Amino acid sequence: MANKKWRCTVCNYIHTGETPPDKCPVCGVGPEKFVLVTEETVDEARKRELQNICFGISYGLFVICSKDGAKFNGQTANSLFQITSDPIQVAVGINKNNLTHEYIKKSGVFTASILCQENHDLVKHFGYQSGKEVDKMEGIKFKLGEKTGVPYIQKTLSYLECEVDWEKTVDVGTHTLYVARVIGADKLEQGESMTYAYYRATR
């Protein structure tokens, strides 16, 4: 009998065997994050092919943090970019299912910590678990931005403090594209920026 195939719902790694692996060799999650792969339709296979092609787009990796009162949360994001220089504005796409999305929607502010090539641990910590299940800020060295009161992560290259412009923010389906004015920023460490391509090649 042919072995079954199991897909990691976090990173899409495919494992072949009668049972899912004890640990994903790519992102490190347990067997509970694997689902049995059934026969794919042509559309599903094509969608995954298109996603793999899009992995070739080069962009940075960031930790986006926000708050709900005294509660904080953060997540890894790869869709932050500057859109204007006067005033300085950025845009970031955040999945509506994420706790960070909920916090930004409530507070109207967020920080973006710009990761360096040594920050693999932060990518995994903020990207492969949900703030709805764990306190992501526990054990993380951070400070609060003077303008927003939102955490920024230490030992990263730099950070931005951002205030959402609700008139320019756009609902794009699964995500919200938050457009925000940069109201504070500072450099923290020296180094090279972490790109998504670099992370995938060295994780």
Side-chain angles (χ1 to χ4, degrees):
M1 182 174 66
N3 282 331
K4 299 174 182 177
K5 291 186 177 181
W6 305 85
R7 180 177 65 82
C8 175
T9 57
V10 175
C11 69
N12 287 323
Y13 167 76
I14 299 295
H15 169 79
T16 301
E18 282 302 306
T19 60
D22 294 332
K23 181 179 180 181
C24 177
V26 176
C27 67
V29 298
E32 72 280 357
K33 294 294 185 180
F34 279 78
V35 294
L36 184 63
V37 177
T38 56
E39 290 188 17
E40 292 183 318
T41 65
V42 174
D43 287 345
E44 290 171 339
R46 178 58 178 163
K47 183 178 180 181
R48 195 166 68 193
E49 179 185 359
L50 292 175
Q51 181 61 69
N52 287 333
I53 291 172
C54 287
F55 284 148
I57 300 173
S58 182
Y59 29 62
L61 281 173
F62 315 90
V63 173
I64 308 298
C65 292
S66 192
K67 65 180 181 179
D68 178 8
K71 296 183 294 185
F72 304 126
N73 190 62
Q75 67 164 78
T76 305
N78 57 24
S79 57
L80 178 79
F81 56 96
Q82 183 178 346
I83 52 175
T84 63
S85 58
D86 187 17
I88 300 177
Q89 296 179 107
V90 297
V92 63
I94 302 293
N95 192 301
K96 294 177 182 177
N97 291 325
N98 292 357
L99 186 62
T100 304
H101 182 281
E102 177 184 326
Y103 283 12
I104 296 175
K105 189 174 181 180
K106 287 182 177 180
S107 69
V109 290
F110 64 88
T111 61
S113 297
I114 300 172
L115 301 184
C116 67
Q117 292 182 351
E118 286 69 46
N119 288 148
H120 285 74
D121 56 333
L122 294 178
V123 176
K124 183 177 180 180
H125 178 84
F126 284 99
Y128 292 132
Q129 55 184 345
S130 171
K132 298 175 182 178
E133 300 172 354
V134 298
D135 179 1
K136 290 190 185 181
M137 308 311 295
E138 184 177 356
I140 296 295
K141 292 182 178 180
F142 67 86
K143 292 184 177 180
L144 299 182
E146 293 182 2
K147 304 287 188 180
T148 60
V150 174
Y152 62 88
I153 312 303
Q154 296 179 266
K155 300 300 181 182
T156 58
L157 290 179
S158 54
Y159 71 92
L160 309 173
E161 291 188 80
C162 305
E163 184 177 55
V164 174
D165 185 329
W166 295 109
E167 291 185 357
K168 297 174 183 175
T169 292
V170 182
D171 184 326
V172 289
T174 58
H175 290 58
T176 297
L177 186 66
Y178 287 108
V179 177
R181 185 168 62 93
V182 177
I183 58 175
D186 202 1
K187 292 183 178 180
L188 300 174
E189 302 284 341
Q190 299 294 322
E192 296 292 328
S193 297
M194 171 86 81
T195 66
Y196 192 47
Y198 179 85
Y199 174 72
R200 287 179 62 82
T202 58
R203 63 185 175 183

